[in-house]
C-alpha cells in the first residue's frame, strides 16, 4: 500500500535547511522566502486599549515574552510569565567558563574556558536593522560593541582540498578576486564584451578591475607587489638588514576553483548581515539580564506549561513545577 504523501510545510523545509547547513544558511533561506524581514520598528508599541487592570499570562521568558511583559505591564496590565527553564532569555543565552549545563537527555557539560571567554549557544549577532532589540538594549542598559563579521586572517577549510590544509581567508579572497579580475580583463581586451560595454566604458572597467583584483600593469594576477599587497607577503616589507620584501605565490586558478573554498568568502554580503553588526558586551546572555532587571519579578521560572484552556471567561494554563513536580494552574483574562 502506498504511504500517503504528507505536504511539506515551510517550517519543515527551514528545519531541514537548518539541520543540513546550519543556522546562517537557514536565516538566508528565511530571508529569501520573506520570512526574516528587516524590522520596521519605530519605537515601543503604544498600547492604548481599554483593558487596564486585566491580567495576561505570557508563556515563555525569551526576548519576545519579556518584551511583551515589559510593554503590557507599562500599559497597566497585570502580567505573569511562566518559564520552563531556571533562567530567563530563552535562546539568548551565554555560557561562561566554569558554567555547567545538563542537556534534556541528561548529559552534563562543563565549560572549561579561560576566564572572560564565553560561548553563545544560540544567537550571537545583532544586525544593524534589528532596531527593536537595539532600542531595548539602550533602554535596559545592555552595552553593545561591534561584532567582527569577517576575520580575514581566519582559516577556511575543505578536507578534500590542499591536502586538508586550511587556507587563509584573505588568500582565498584575494586570489579569487584576482583571477576573476584577470579573466574579465582578458575578455574586455579580446572584445568579447563589445556588445555590452562601449570602448570608453571598457577602459573604465579595466581600470576598475586592476584595482578590484589587484592586477599588475599588464592586467595579470601574478606573484608581485600588487597581489601580495592584498594577500600578504612571504617576507613583509621593511625593517632588518634586508628590507626587501618577498612576495607570496597566489594559488593557481584551477586549484582555487576546484577547492570550492570560494564558497567560504562573501557569505556575509547579504544586506541584512552587512556591517555594522553588534553584540552585547559579555555575550547574548546580557540581553536576558537586561530584561530580567526590568521584568524578572513577573517571571515564574521552572514552570513547564502543559495545557492551555480558553473559554468565554478567560484562559486557564496548566503547568508543572519542574523542581517539585507539583501540577499547578494559573488563570488570566488573556494569554500570550
Ligand atoms: C543557533 C541559533 C543562532 C541564532 N543566531 C541569531 C543571531 O545571530 N541573531 C539573531 O537575531 N537571531 C538569531 N537566532 C534567532 C533567535 O535566537 C530567535 O529569533 C530568538 O531567540 C527568539 O526569541 P523568542 O523569545 O521568540 O523565543 P525563545 O528564545 O526560544 O524563547 C522561548 C521561551 O519559551 C520557553 N518555553 C518553551 N516551551 C515552554 C513551555 N512549555 N512552558 C514554559 N516555557 C516554555 C523557553 O524555555 C524559552 O525561554 C538564532 C537562533 C539559533 C537557534
Amino acid at each position: 500500500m502506498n504511504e500517503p504523501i504528507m505536504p511539506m510545510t515551510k517550517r519543515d523545509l527551514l528545519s531541514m535547511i537548518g539541520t543540513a547547513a546550519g543556522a546562517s544558511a537557514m536565516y538566508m533561506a528565511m530571508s529569501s522566502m520573506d520570512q526574516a524581514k528587516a524590522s520596521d520598528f519605530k519605537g515601543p508599541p503604544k498600547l492604548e486599549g481599554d483593558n487596564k487592570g486585566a491580567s495576561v499570562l505570557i508563556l515563555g521568558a525569551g526576548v519576545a515574552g519579556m518584551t511583551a511583559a515589559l510593554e503590557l505591564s507599562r500599559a497597566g496590565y497585570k502580567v505573569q510569565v511562566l518559564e520552563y527553564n531556571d533562567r530567563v532569555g530563552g535562546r539568548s543565552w551565554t555560557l561562561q567558563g566554569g558554567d555547567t549545563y545538563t542537556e534534556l537527555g541528561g548529559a552534563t557539560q562543563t565549560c572549561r574556558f579561560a576566564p572572560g571567554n564565553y560561548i553563545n549557544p544560540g544567537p550571537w549577532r545583532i544586525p544593524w536593522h534589528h532596531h527593536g532589540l537595539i532600542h531595548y538594549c539602550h533602554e535596559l542598559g545592555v552595552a553593545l560593541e561591534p561584532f567582527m563579521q569577517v576575520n580575514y586572517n581566519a582559516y577556511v577549510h575543505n578536507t578534500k582540498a590542499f591536502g586538508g590544509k586550511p587556507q587563509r581567508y584573505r588568500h582565498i579572497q584575494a586570489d579569487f578576486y584576482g583571477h576573476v579580475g584577470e579573466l574579465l580583463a582578458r575578455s574586455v581586451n579580446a572584445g568579447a564584451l563589445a556588445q555590452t560595454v562601449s570602448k570608453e566604458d571598457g577602459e573604465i572597467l579595466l581600470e576598475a578591475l586592476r584595482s578590484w583584483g589587484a592586477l599588475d600593469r599588464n592586467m595579470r594576477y601574478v606573484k608581485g607587489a600588487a597581489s601580495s599587497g592584498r594577500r600578504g607577503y612571504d617576507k613583509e616589507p621593511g625593517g632588518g638588514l634586508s628590507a626587501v620584501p618577498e612576495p607570496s605565490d597566489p594559488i593557481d586558478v584551477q586549484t582555487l576553483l576546484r577547492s570550492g573554498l570560494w564558497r567560504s568568502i562573501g557569505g556575509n554580503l547579504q544586506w541584512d548581515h552587512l556591517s555594522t553588526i553588534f553584540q552585547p558586551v559579555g555575550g547574548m546572555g546580557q540581553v536576558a539580564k537586561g530584561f530580567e532587571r526590568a521584568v524578572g519579578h513577573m517571571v515564574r521560572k521552572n514552570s513547564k506549561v502543559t495545557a492551555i484552556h480558553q473559554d468565554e471567561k478567560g484562559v486557564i494554563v496548566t503547568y508543572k513545577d519542574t523542581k517539585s513536580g507539583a501540577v499547578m494552574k494559573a488563570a488570566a483574562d488573556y494569554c500570550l
Side-chain angles (χ1 to χ4, degrees):
M1 204 170 85
N2 287 338
E3 291 289 320
I5 299 171
M6 301 301 286
M8 181 182 269
T9 63
K10 248 183 234 168
R11 181 179 281 252
D12 293 336
L13 177 63
L14 290 168
S15 300
M16 280 169 59
I17 295 171
T19 309
S24 294
M26 187 170 80
Y27 194 81
M28 281 164 67
M30 287 173 76
S31 301
S32 61
M33 290 165 75
D34 264 3
Q35 299 293 302
K37 288 194 168 180
S39 153
D40 56 2
F41 180 90
K42 298 276 185 296
K46 293 190 174 37
L47 302 176
E48 292 163 341
D50 55 2
N51 274 310
K52 293 205 177 357
S55 55
V56 185
L57 267 174
I58 297 174
L59 310 186
V63 169
M66 290 195 290
T67 307
L70 183 65
E71 295 301 344
L72 286 168
S73 61
R74 280 179 177 161
Y77 292 82
K78 283 187 283 187
V79 175
Q80 189 183 8
V81 188
L82 296 173
E83 167 54 46
Y84 167 74
N85 279 311
D86 64 358
R87 58 173 181 84
V88 301
R91 280 172 274 182
S92 289
W93 176 36
T94 299
L95 286 163
Q96 311 276 349
D99 283 350
T100 58
Y101 177 65
T102 303
E103 304 201 21
L104 287 178
T108 297
Q109 302 205 43
T110 301
C111 300
R112 302 191 197 284
F113 307 141
N117 288 354
Y118 64 81
I119 186 171
N120 296 312
W124 32 306
R125 295 175 292 190
I126 304 178
W128 58 271
H129 57 95
H130 283 198
H131 305 296
L133 187 56
I134 292 170
H135 163 88
Y136 286 108
C137 285
H138 288 320
E139 186 189 326
L140 301 172
V142 179
L144 299 180
E145 62 187 359
F147 175 86
M148 207 171 295
Q149 176 79 333
V150 181
N151 177 357
Y152 295 95
N153 286 305
Y155 288 98
V156 290
H157 188 213
N158 176 354
T159 49
K160 299 198 180 78
F162 301 102
K165 195 170 166 235
Q167 303 295 308
R168 290 267 190 206
Y169 187 109
R170 70 178 140 86
H171 290 172
I172 298 297
Q173 177 169 296
D175 295 353
F176 184 72
Y177 285 9
H179 289 308
V180 170
E182 179 180 331
L183 290 170
L184 191 47
R186 276 199 234 165
S187 304
V188 174
N189 283 330
L193 301 183
Q195 300 279 338
T196 325
V197 182
S198 70
K199 192 164 181 322
E200 293 74 28
D201 289 348
E203 293 300 319
I204 301 171
L205 179 55
L206 286 172
E207 201 45 47
L209 288 171
R210 190 201 307 277
S211 149
W212 181 76
L215 308 184
D216 71 1
R217 57 196 304 184
N218 300 314
M219 302 302 287
R220 290 180 316 148
Y221 185 70
V222 288
K223 181 175 185 170
S227 59
S228 289
R230 199 62 66 81
R231 70 194 312 285
Y233 288 84
D234 278 351
K235 179 177 173 294
E236 286 164 19
L241 290 177
S242 163
V244 181
E246 284 173 23
S248 58
D249 273 310
I251 302 161
D252 69 88
V253 65
Q254 192 180 67
T255 307
L256 182 63
L257 290 177
R258 292 184 183 177
S259 76
L261 286 181
W262 42 267
R263 289 195 184 90
S264 311
I265 58 169
N268 304 305
L269 292 177
Q270 316 92 286
W271 69 271
D272 50 356
H273 276 98
L274 294 177
S275 300
T276 301
I277 292 191
F278 302 98
Q279 62 186 349
V281 177
M284 212 57 149
Q286 295 301 321
V287 171
K289 290 205 164 75
F291 274 100
E292 190 168 29
R293 287 192 288 274
V295 301
H297 59 285
M298 302 173 206
V299 181
R300 189 183 197 284
K301 297 175 189 165
N302 304 306
S303 305
K304 180 182 178 182
V305 173
T306 54
I308 306 167
H309 173 78
Q310 183 179 17
D311 59 27
E312 62 284 352
K313 283 186 261 154
V315 188
I316 295 176
V317 168
T318 308
Y319 65 96
K320 186 174 170 182
D321 185 309
T322 55
K323 294 282 178 213
S324 68
V327 175
M328 333 262 266
K329 290 196 188 293
D333 298 313
Y334 299 99
C335 179
L336 197 64

